Amino acid sequence: MDTSGPQEALGGAEFAPAQTYLNTSTCGLLPRRTIEAVKALAEENAAGRPDGAGSLEVVAAVRASFARLAGVDAGRVALGASVSAHVGLIAGSLPPGTEVLYAEGDFSSLMTPFVMRGDLKTRSAPLEELADAVRPGTGLVAVSAVQSADGRMADLPAIREAAAAHGARVLLDATQAAGWLPLDAGAYDYTVAGGYKFLVSPRGTSFLTVSEEAQESLVPLNAGWFAGEDRYGSCYGPVERLAPDARRYDDPPSFLAYHGAEESLRLLHEVGVDTVHGHATALAARFRQGLRELGYEPVPTDSVVVAVPGLGHRQPDLTRAGVVTSARAGNLRASFHLYNSAADVDRALNALSSLAA
Protein backbone atom coordinates (compact mmCIF):
# COMPACT_ATOMS: atom_id res chain seq x y z
CA MET A 1 0.00 0.00 0.00
CA ASP A 2 1.20 3.50 -0.82
CA THR A 3 1.73 5.25 2.50
CA SER A 4 3.30 8.43 1.16
CA GLY A 5 1.97 11.61 2.73
CA PRO A 6 -0.19 11.95 5.86
CA GLN A 7 -3.33 12.97 3.90
CA GLU A 8 -5.02 14.43 6.94
CA ALA A 9 -8.65 15.49 6.84
CA LEU A 10 -9.53 19.01 5.72
CA GLY A 11 -11.99 21.40 7.29
CA GLY A 12 -10.44 21.70 10.75
CA ALA A 13 -12.86 21.18 13.62
CA GLU A 14 -15.94 21.48 11.38
CA PHE A 15 -16.39 17.71 11.25
CA ALA A 16 -16.26 15.13 14.00
CA PRO A 17 -17.57 11.78 12.72
CA ALA A 18 -18.03 9.20 15.47
CA GLN A 19 -16.80 6.42 13.18
CA THR A 20 -15.06 5.94 9.85
CA TYR A 21 -17.50 7.53 7.42
CA LEU A 22 -17.00 6.63 3.75
CA ASN A 23 -20.53 7.23 2.53
CA THR A 24 -20.78 10.75 1.12
CA SER A 25 -22.30 9.33 -2.07
CA THR A 26 -25.35 8.60 0.08
CA CYS A 27 -25.28 11.65 2.34
CA GLY A 28 -22.57 14.15 3.21
CA LEU A 29 -21.69 15.12 6.76
CA LEU A 30 -22.89 18.53 7.90
CA PRO A 31 -20.24 21.00 9.08
CA ARG A 32 -20.60 22.32 12.62
CA ARG A 33 -21.23 25.85 11.31
CA THR A 34 -24.09 24.52 9.17
CA ILE A 35 -25.73 22.87 12.15
CA GLU A 36 -25.45 26.08 14.14
CA ALA A 37 -27.07 28.10 11.34
CA VAL A 38 -30.02 25.71 11.16
CA LYS A 39 -30.41 25.75 14.94
CA ALA A 40 -30.30 29.54 15.03
CA LEU A 41 -33.12 29.90 12.52
CA ALA A 42 -35.16 27.20 14.26
CA GLU A 43 -34.80 29.06 17.56
CA GLU A 44 -35.83 32.34 15.89
CA ASN A 45 -38.91 30.61 14.51
CA ALA A 46 -39.77 28.96 17.83
CA ALA A 47 -39.54 32.33 19.58
CA GLY A 48 -41.79 34.03 17.03
CA ARG A 49 -39.16 36.59 16.12
CA PRO A 50 -39.56 38.53 12.86
CA ASP A 51 -36.59 36.83 11.20
CA GLY A 52 -37.73 33.34 12.12
CA ALA A 53 -39.43 32.74 8.79
CA GLY A 54 -36.09 32.78 6.97
CA SER A 55 -34.04 35.30 5.06
CA LEU A 56 -34.33 36.05 1.34
CA GLU A 57 -30.86 37.58 1.59
CA VAL A 58 -29.47 34.22 2.74
CA VAL A 59 -31.19 32.47 -0.17
CA ALA A 60 -29.67 35.00 -2.58
CA ALA A 61 -26.25 34.40 -1.02
CA VAL A 62 -26.61 30.64 -1.54
CA ARG A 63 -27.54 31.19 -5.17
CA ALA A 64 -24.48 33.38 -5.70
CA SER A 65 -22.22 30.96 -3.83
CA PHE A 66 -23.30 27.98 -5.92
CA ALA A 67 -22.96 30.08 -9.07
CA ARG A 68 -19.33 30.78 -8.18
CA LEU A 69 -18.74 27.09 -7.58
CA ALA A 70 -20.40 26.20 -10.90
CA GLY A 71 -18.62 28.91 -12.88
CA VAL A 72 -21.75 30.73 -14.05
CA ASP A 73 -23.57 33.98 -13.34
CA ALA A 74 -26.12 33.84 -10.50
CA GLY A 75 -28.84 34.63 -13.01
CA ARG A 76 -28.32 31.17 -14.49
CA VAL A 77 -29.12 29.37 -11.21
CA ALA A 78 -32.54 28.17 -10.06
CA LEU A 79 -33.14 26.78 -6.58
CA GLY A 80 -35.32 23.95 -5.41
CA ALA A 81 -35.56 20.95 -3.13
CA SER A 82 -34.74 17.90 -5.28
CA VAL A 83 -33.03 16.80 -8.46
CA SER A 84 -36.08 14.87 -9.64
CA ALA A 85 -38.21 18.04 -9.50
CA HIS A 86 -35.64 19.94 -11.54
CA VAL A 87 -35.41 17.12 -14.08
CA GLY A 88 -39.23 17.00 -14.14
CA LEU A 89 -39.29 20.67 -15.12
CA ILE A 90 -37.02 19.94 -18.09
CA ALA A 91 -39.00 16.81 -19.02
CA GLY A 92 -42.29 18.67 -18.85
CA SER A 93 -41.01 21.35 -21.20
CA LEU A 94 -39.90 19.06 -24.06
CA PRO A 95 -42.06 18.86 -27.20
CA PRO A 96 -43.88 15.54 -27.69
CA GLY A 97 -41.80 13.03 -29.61
CA THR A 98 -38.42 14.40 -28.46
CA GLU A 99 -35.77 11.68 -28.22
CA VAL A 100 -33.97 11.57 -24.88
CA LEU A 101 -30.79 9.51 -24.61
CA TYR A 102 -29.37 8.44 -21.26
CA ALA A 103 -26.77 6.06 -19.88
CA GLU A 104 -27.76 2.53 -18.90
CA GLY A 105 -27.96 2.15 -15.13
CA ASP A 106 -27.78 5.87 -14.41
CA PHE A 107 -29.60 7.22 -11.36
CA SER A 108 -33.36 6.89 -11.64
CA SER A 109 -34.14 10.54 -10.82
CA LEU A 110 -32.33 11.55 -14.00
CA MET A 111 -34.36 9.40 -16.38
CA THR A 112 -37.73 8.59 -14.79
CA PRO A 113 -39.34 12.03 -15.38
CA PHE A 114 -38.70 11.59 -19.12
CA VAL A 115 -40.02 8.03 -19.18
CA MET A 116 -43.15 9.03 -17.26
CA ARG A 117 -44.09 11.62 -19.88
CA GLY A 118 -45.22 8.77 -22.11
CA ASP A 119 -45.00 10.83 -25.31
CA LEU A 120 -41.22 11.14 -25.48
CA LYS A 121 -38.83 8.72 -27.16
CA THR A 122 -36.43 7.44 -24.52
CA ARG A 123 -33.36 5.39 -25.35
CA SER A 124 -30.31 4.20 -23.40
CA ALA A 125 -26.75 3.18 -24.19
CA PRO A 126 -23.76 1.99 -22.14
CA LEU A 127 -21.97 4.91 -20.51
CA GLU A 128 -18.78 4.31 -22.50
CA GLU A 129 -20.78 4.34 -25.76
CA LEU A 130 -23.05 7.27 -24.98
CA ALA A 131 -21.30 9.79 -27.24
CA ASP A 132 -21.40 7.35 -30.17
CA ALA A 133 -25.11 6.72 -29.53
CA VAL A 134 -26.09 10.35 -30.20
CA ARG A 135 -27.73 10.45 -33.62
CA PRO A 136 -29.75 12.74 -35.89
CA GLY A 137 -33.04 13.38 -34.14
CA THR A 138 -31.67 13.09 -30.60
CA GLY A 139 -33.05 16.09 -28.72
CA LEU A 140 -31.46 15.70 -25.29
CA VAL A 141 -28.64 13.69 -23.72
CA ALA A 142 -29.00 13.21 -19.96
CA VAL A 143 -26.00 11.86 -18.06
CA SER A 144 -24.41 11.91 -14.62
CA ALA A 145 -20.85 13.20 -14.40
CA VAL A 146 -20.13 10.38 -11.95
CA GLN A 147 -22.17 7.21 -11.77
CA SER A 148 -23.83 6.65 -8.40
CA ALA A 149 -23.59 2.86 -8.51
CA ASP A 150 -19.89 2.48 -9.22
CA GLY A 151 -18.10 5.84 -9.57
CA ARG A 152 -17.42 5.65 -13.31
CA MET A 153 -16.93 9.05 -14.93
CA ALA A 154 -18.57 10.08 -18.19
CA ASP A 155 -16.47 11.24 -21.13
CA LEU A 156 -18.06 14.67 -21.02
CA PRO A 157 -16.05 16.37 -23.78
CA ALA A 158 -16.99 13.58 -26.21
CA ILE A 159 -20.65 13.74 -25.19
CA ARG A 160 -20.76 17.52 -25.61
CA GLU A 161 -19.08 17.29 -29.01
CA ALA A 162 -21.48 14.60 -30.24
CA ALA A 163 -24.50 16.50 -28.95
CA ALA A 164 -23.39 19.72 -30.63
CA ALA A 165 -22.81 17.89 -33.91
CA HIS A 166 -26.42 16.64 -33.90
CA GLY A 167 -28.12 19.72 -32.44
CA ALA A 168 -28.95 18.01 -29.13
CA ARG A 169 -28.96 19.65 -25.73
CA VAL A 170 -27.11 18.16 -22.73
CA LEU A 171 -28.39 17.75 -19.18
CA LEU A 172 -25.59 16.98 -16.70
CA ASP A 173 -26.35 15.58 -13.26
CA ALA A 174 -23.48 16.74 -11.05
CA THR A 175 -24.88 15.39 -7.79
CA GLN A 176 -22.00 12.91 -7.32
CA ALA A 177 -19.44 15.45 -8.53
CA ALA A 178 -20.18 19.02 -7.40
CA GLY A 179 -18.12 19.75 -4.30
CA TRP A 180 -15.06 17.68 -5.23
CA LEU A 181 -14.87 17.84 -9.04
CA PRO A 182 -14.46 21.31 -10.59
CA LEU A 183 -17.72 22.11 -12.41
CA ASP A 184 -18.08 24.21 -15.56
CA ALA A 185 -21.85 24.47 -15.74
CA GLY A 186 -21.56 26.95 -18.59
CA ALA A 187 -20.55 24.10 -20.90
CA TYR A 188 -24.02 22.49 -20.61
CA ASP A 189 -27.56 23.50 -21.42
CA TYR A 190 -28.71 22.28 -18.01
CA THR A 191 -27.01 20.99 -14.89
CA VAL A 192 -28.63 19.66 -11.73
CA ALA A 193 -27.02 18.95 -8.38
CA GLY A 194 -28.49 17.77 -5.11
CA GLY A 195 -26.96 19.64 -2.20
CA TYR A 196 -26.90 16.96 0.47
CA LYS A 197 -24.01 14.86 -0.81
CA PHE A 198 -20.64 16.38 -1.77
CA LEU A 199 -21.94 19.92 -1.24
CA VAL A 200 -22.33 18.92 2.45
CA SER A 201 -25.60 20.87 2.68
CA PRO A 202 -28.87 19.86 4.35
CA ARG A 203 -31.45 17.82 2.49
CA GLY A 204 -33.92 20.09 0.75
CA THR A 205 -31.31 21.96 -1.29
CA SER A 206 -30.96 21.39 -5.03
CA PHE A 207 -29.53 23.51 -7.82
CA LEU A 208 -30.43 23.86 -11.50
CA THR A 209 -28.38 25.85 -13.99
CA VAL A 210 -29.85 26.82 -17.35
CA SER A 211 -28.07 28.41 -20.30
CA GLU A 212 -29.54 31.64 -21.61
CA GLU A 213 -30.62 29.91 -24.82
CA ALA A 214 -32.16 26.96 -22.99
CA GLN A 215 -34.10 29.28 -20.68
CA GLU A 216 -36.33 30.16 -23.60
CA SER A 217 -37.29 26.48 -23.99
CA LEU A 218 -38.29 25.83 -20.38
CA VAL A 219 -41.86 26.29 -19.23
CA PRO A 220 -41.99 27.51 -15.59
CA LEU A 221 -44.43 24.75 -14.64
CA ASN A 222 -43.85 25.15 -10.91
CA ALA A 223 -44.00 28.94 -10.88
CA GLY A 224 -45.50 30.55 -7.81
CA TRP A 225 -45.00 33.74 -5.88
CA PHE A 226 -41.32 32.98 -5.29
CA ALA A 227 -40.67 32.98 -9.05
CA GLY A 228 -42.20 36.43 -9.48
CA GLU A 229 -40.06 39.42 -10.37
CA ASP A 230 -41.67 41.21 -7.40
CA ARG A 231 -42.15 38.35 -4.94
CA TYR A 232 -44.38 40.08 -2.41
CA GLY A 233 -46.31 41.75 -5.19
CA SER A 234 -47.03 38.30 -6.67
CA CYS A 235 -48.77 36.66 -3.73
CA TYR A 236 -52.37 36.93 -4.96
CA GLY A 237 -53.82 36.06 -8.31
CA PRO A 238 -51.73 34.74 -11.20
CA VAL A 239 -48.16 36.02 -11.20
CA GLU A 240 -48.16 38.84 -13.72
CA ARG A 241 -44.42 39.10 -14.31
CA LEU A 242 -41.95 36.29 -13.68
CA ALA A 243 -38.30 36.92 -12.87
CA PRO A 244 -36.36 37.67 -16.06
CA ASP A 245 -33.67 35.03 -15.46
CA ALA A 246 -33.42 31.46 -14.13
CA ARG A 247 -35.06 32.55 -10.88
CA ARG A 248 -38.39 32.14 -12.69
CA TYR A 249 -37.84 28.37 -12.26
CA ASP A 250 -37.33 28.59 -8.48
CA ASP A 251 -39.36 26.55 -6.06
CA PRO A 252 -39.96 28.25 -2.70
CA PRO A 253 -36.96 27.19 -0.61
CA SER A 254 -36.86 25.28 2.61
CA PHE A 255 -35.36 28.13 4.61
CA LEU A 256 -33.84 25.90 7.30
CA ALA A 257 -31.98 23.94 4.62
CA TYR A 258 -30.83 27.03 2.77
CA HIS A 259 -29.64 28.80 5.92
CA GLY A 260 -27.46 25.75 6.49
CA ALA A 261 -26.33 25.60 2.87
CA GLU A 262 -24.97 29.14 3.07
CA GLU A 263 -22.42 27.96 5.63
CA SER A 264 -21.66 24.67 3.86
CA LEU A 265 -20.88 26.35 0.55
CA ARG A 266 -18.84 29.01 2.33
CA LEU A 267 -16.67 26.24 3.80
CA LEU A 268 -16.17 24.62 0.38
CA HIS A 269 -15.03 27.97 -1.01
CA GLU A 270 -12.65 28.44 1.92
CA VAL A 271 -11.04 25.04 1.40
CA GLY A 272 -11.27 25.19 -2.41
CA VAL A 273 -12.76 22.57 -4.69
CA ASP A 274 -9.37 22.00 -6.35
CA THR A 275 -7.90 21.22 -2.94
CA VAL A 276 -10.76 18.86 -2.12
CA HIS A 277 -10.30 17.17 -5.51
CA GLY A 278 -6.61 16.46 -4.93
CA HIS A 279 -7.19 15.28 -1.38
CA ALA A 280 -10.17 13.00 -1.99
CA THR A 281 -8.94 11.46 -5.24
CA ALA A 282 -5.62 10.59 -3.54
CA LEU A 283 -7.50 8.81 -0.76
CA ALA A 284 -9.62 6.92 -3.27
CA ALA A 285 -6.50 5.85 -5.19
CA ARG A 286 -4.92 4.68 -1.93
CA PHE A 287 -8.02 2.63 -1.16
CA ARG A 288 -8.10 1.07 -4.63
CA GLN A 289 -4.46 0.06 -4.33
CA GLY A 290 -5.08 -1.50 -0.92
CA LEU A 291 -8.10 -3.38 -2.25
CA ARG A 292 -6.02 -4.88 -5.05
CA GLU A 293 -3.42 -5.98 -2.51
CA LEU A 294 -6.23 -7.78 -0.67
CA GLY A 295 -7.20 -9.57 -3.87
CA TYR A 296 -10.20 -7.45 -4.85
CA GLU A 297 -10.68 -5.68 -8.18
CA PRO A 298 -12.41 -2.30 -7.85
CA VAL A 299 -14.12 -0.63 -10.79
CA PRO A 300 -11.43 1.29 -12.72
CA THR A 301 -12.05 5.04 -12.47
CA ASP A 302 -10.34 8.16 -11.16
CA SER A 303 -13.31 9.43 -9.15
CA VAL A 304 -13.64 9.64 -5.37
CA VAL A 305 -16.26 6.88 -5.49
CA VAL A 306 -14.76 3.40 -5.15
CA ALA A 307 -16.88 0.34 -5.98
CA VAL A 308 -16.02 -3.34 -5.64
CA PRO A 309 -18.33 -5.60 -7.67
CA GLY A 310 -19.86 -8.53 -5.82
CA LEU A 311 -18.77 -7.29 -2.38
CA GLY A 312 -21.95 -5.44 -1.42
CA HIS A 313 -22.86 -8.17 1.03
CA ARG A 314 -19.95 -7.04 3.24
CA GLN A 315 -21.51 -3.62 3.88
CA PRO A 316 -23.36 -4.69 7.09
CA ASP A 317 -20.17 -6.34 8.41
CA LEU A 318 -18.20 -3.15 7.84
CA THR A 319 -20.86 -1.11 9.60
CA ARG A 320 -20.55 -3.37 12.63
CA ALA A 321 -16.79 -2.81 12.47
CA GLY A 322 -17.33 0.96 12.58
CA VAL A 323 -16.79 1.65 8.88
CA VAL A 324 -19.81 3.20 7.15
CA THR A 325 -20.10 2.41 3.43
CA SER A 326 -23.02 1.47 1.19
CA ALA A 327 -24.14 -1.37 -1.08
CA ARG A 328 -25.33 -0.36 -4.55
CA ALA A 329 -26.15 -2.66 -7.50
CA GLY A 330 -24.22 -5.48 -5.85
CA ASN A 331 -21.16 -3.28 -5.31
CA LEU A 332 -19.54 -2.32 -2.05
CA ARG A 333 -19.30 1.44 -2.45
CA ALA A 334 -17.02 3.78 -0.51
CA SER A 335 -16.73 7.49 -1.20
CA PHE A 336 -14.18 10.00 0.04
CA HIS A 337 -14.45 13.71 0.80
CA LEU A 338 -12.69 16.53 2.60
CA TYR A 339 -13.34 15.13 6.08
CA ASN A 340 -11.66 11.78 5.35
CA SER A 341 -8.02 10.91 5.97
CA ALA A 342 -5.48 8.21 5.23
CA ALA A 343 -6.34 6.71 8.61
CA ASP A 344 -9.91 6.16 7.38
CA VAL A 345 -8.58 4.30 4.35
CA ASP A 346 -6.41 2.06 6.50
CA ARG A 347 -9.22 1.28 8.94
CA ALA A 348 -11.48 0.23 6.08
CA LEU A 349 -8.78 -1.96 4.55
CA ASN A 350 -7.96 -3.52 7.91
CA ALA A 351 -11.64 -4.27 8.50
CA LEU A 352 -11.95 -5.95 5.09
CA SER A 353 -8.76 -7.91 5.72
CA SER A 354 -10.14 -9.16 9.05
CA LEU A 355 -13.41 -10.22 7.42
CA ALA A 356 -11.55 -12.17 4.76
CA ALA A 357 -9.34 -13.95 7.29
PDB file of all heavy atoms in Angstrom, residues 10-11 19 57 67 137 170 180 229 286 298:
ATOM      1  N   LEU A  10      -9.428  17.566   5.890  1.00  0.00           N
ATOM      2  CA  LEU A  10      -9.530  19.007   5.723  1.00  0.00           C
ATOM      3  C   LEU A  10     -10.721  19.526   6.521  1.00  0.00           C
ATOM      4  O   LEU A  10     -11.550  18.771   6.978  1.00  0.00           O
ATOM      5  CB  LEU A  10      -9.708  19.351   4.241  1.00  0.00           C
ATOM      6  CG  LEU A  10      -8.671  18.788   3.270  1.00  0.00           C
ATOM      7  CD1 LEU A  10      -9.090  19.090   1.831  1.00  0.00           C
ATOM      8  CD2 LEU A  10      -7.287  19.340   3.555  1.00  0.00           C
ATOM      9  N   GLY A  11     -10.812  20.828   6.653  1.00  0.00           N
ATOM     10  CA  GLY A  11     -11.991  21.404   7.291  1.00  0.00           C
ATOM     11  C   GLY A  11     -11.858  21.652   8.770  1.00  0.00           C
ATOM     12  O   GLY A  11     -12.807  22.072   9.425  1.00  0.00           O
ATOM     13  N   GLN A  19     -17.360   7.652  13.719  1.00  0.00           N
ATOM     14  CA  GLN A  19     -16.804   6.419  13.180  1.00  0.00           C
ATOM     15  C   GLN A  19     -16.204   6.732  11.819  1.00  0.00           C
ATOM     16  O   GLN A  19     -16.234   7.878  11.367  1.00  0.00           O
ATOM     17  CB  GLN A  19     -17.895   5.360  13.072  1.00  0.00           C
ATOM     18  CG  GLN A  19     -19.131   5.814  12.327  1.00  0.00           C
ATOM     19  CD  GLN A  19     -20.355   5.002  12.699  1.00  0.00           C
ATOM     20  OE1 GLN A  19     -20.240   3.829  13.017  1.00  0.00           O
ATOM     21  NE2 GLN A  19     -21.521   5.614  12.667  1.00  0.00           N
ATOM     22  N   GLU A  57     -32.248  37.221   1.839  1.00  0.00           N
ATOM     23  CA  GLU A  57     -30.858  37.580   1.595  1.00  0.00           C
ATOM     24  C   GLU A  57     -29.954  36.353   1.690  1.00  0.00           C
ATOM     25  O   GLU A  57     -29.014  36.193   0.897  1.00  0.00           O
ATOM     26  CB  GLU A  57     -30.397  38.639   2.590  1.00  0.00           C
ATOM     27  CG  GLU A  57     -30.971  40.020   2.348  1.00  0.00           C
ATOM     28  CD  GLU A  57     -32.443  40.128   2.753  1.00  0.00           C
ATOM     29  OE1 GLU A  57     -32.906  39.279   3.554  1.00  0.00           O
ATOM     30  OE2 GLU A  57     -33.119  41.059   2.268  1.00  0.00           O
ATOM     31  N   ALA A  67     -23.336  29.585  -7.749  1.00  0.00           N
ATOM     32  CA  ALA A  67     -22.961  30.081  -9.072  1.00  0.00           C
ATOM     33  C   ALA A  67     -21.450  30.193  -9.196  1.00  0.00           C
ATOM     34  O   ALA A  67     -20.864  29.815 -10.227  1.00  0.00           O
ATOM     35  CB  ALA A  67     -23.628  31.431  -9.332  1.00  0.00           C
ATOM     36  N   GLY A 137     -31.744  13.520 -34.778  1.00  0.00           N
ATOM     37  CA  GLY A 137     -33.042  13.379 -34.144  1.00  0.00           C
ATOM     38  C   GLY A 137     -32.988  13.299 -32.638  1.00  0.00           C
ATOM     39  O   GLY A 137     -34.015  13.461 -31.971  1.00  0.00           O
ATOM     40  N   VAL A 170     -27.699  19.060 -23.725  1.00  0.00           N
ATOM     41  CA  VAL A 170     -27.110  18.160 -22.733  1.00  0.00           C
ATOM     42  C   VAL A 170     -27.565  18.569 -21.337  1.00  0.00           C
ATOM     43  O   VAL A 170     -27.475  19.751 -20.969  1.00  0.00           O
ATOM     44  CB  VAL A 170     -25.570  18.165 -22.801  1.00  0.00           C
ATOM     45  CG1 VAL A 170     -24.989  17.249 -21.720  1.00  0.00           C
ATOM     46  CG2 VAL A 170     -25.090  17.720 -24.179  1.00  0.00           C
ATOM     47  N   TRP A 180     -16.428  18.216  -5.156  1.00  0.00           N
ATOM     48  CA  TRP A 180     -15.062  17.678  -5.230  1.00  0.00           C
ATOM     49  C   TRP A 180     -14.482  17.765  -6.635  1.00  0.00           C
ATOM     50  O   TRP A 180     -13.268  17.836  -6.794  1.00  0.00           O
ATOM     51  CB  TRP A 180     -14.994  16.230  -4.748  1.00  0.00           C
ATOM     52  CG  TRP A 180     -15.614  15.212  -5.679  1.00  0.00           C
ATOM     53  CD1 TRP A 180     -16.882  14.729  -5.642  1.00  0.00           C
ATOM     54  CD2 TRP A 180     -14.969  14.543  -6.781  1.00  0.00           C
ATOM     55  NE1 TRP A 180     -17.091  13.821  -6.655  1.00  0.00           N
ATOM     56  CE2 TRP A 180     -15.924  13.675  -7.360  1.00  0.00           C
ATOM     57  CE3 TRP A 180     -13.693  14.597  -7.328  1.00  0.00           C
ATOM     58  CZ2 TRP A 180     -15.638  12.881  -8.467  1.00  0.00           C
ATOM     59  CZ3 TRP A 180     -13.399  13.803  -8.435  1.00  0.00           C
ATOM     60  CH2 TRP A 180     -14.372  12.951  -8.988  1.00  0.00           C
ATOM     61  N   GLU A 229     -41.075  38.356 -10.380  1.00  0.00           N
ATOM     62  CA  GLU A 229     -40.063  39.421 -10.370  1.00  0.00           C
ATOM     63  C   GLU A 229     -40.180  40.228  -9.079  1.00  0.00           C
ATOM     64  O   GLU A 229     -39.180  40.565  -8.446  1.00  0.00           O
ATOM     65  CB  GLU A 229     -40.239  40.322 -11.587  1.00  0.00           C
ATOM     66  CG  GLU A 229     -39.177  41.400 -11.689  1.00  0.00           C
ATOM     67  CD  GLU A 229     -39.296  42.198 -12.970  1.00  0.00           C
ATOM     68  OE1 GLU A 229     -40.382  42.199 -13.579  1.00  0.00           O
ATOM     69  OE2 GLU A 229     -38.297  42.827 -13.366  1.00  0.00           O
ATOM     70  N   ARG A 286      -5.551   5.472  -2.999  1.00  0.00           N
ATOM     71  CA  ARG A 286      -4.920   4.681  -1.931  1.00  0.00           C
ATOM     72  C   ARG A 286      -5.796   3.488  -1.570  1.00  0.00           C
ATOM     73  O   ARG A 286      -5.303   2.359  -1.389  1.00  0.00           O
ATOM     74  CB  ARG A 286      -4.699   5.585  -0.716  1.00  0.00           C
ATOM     75  CG  ARG A 286      -4.061   4.920   0.500  1.00  0.00           C
ATOM     76  CD  ARG A 286      -4.099   5.886   1.673  1.00  0.00           C
ATOM     77  NE  ARG A 286      -3.489   5.335   2.862  1.00  0.00           N
ATOM     78  CZ  ARG A 286      -2.261   5.638   3.291  1.00  0.00           C
ATOM     79  NH1 ARG A 286      -1.516   6.490   2.596  1.00  0.00           N
ATOM     80  NH2 ARG A 286      -1.775   5.089   4.391  1.00  0.00           N
ATOM     81  N   PRO A 298     -11.433  -3.389  -7.803  1.00  0.00           N
ATOM     82  CA  PRO A 298     -12.409  -2.298  -7.852  1.00  0.00           C
ATOM     83  C   PRO A 298     -12.664  -1.842  -9.280  1.00  0.00           C
ATOM     84  O   PRO A 298     -11.851  -2.071 -10.184  1.00  0.00           O
ATOM     85  CB  PRO A 298     -11.745  -1.195  -7.029  1.00  0.00           C
ATOM     86  CG  PRO A 298     -10.276  -1.481  -7.125  1.00  0.00           C
ATOM     87  CD  PRO A 298     -10.150  -2.969  -7.204  1.00  0.00           C
TER      88      PRO A 298
END
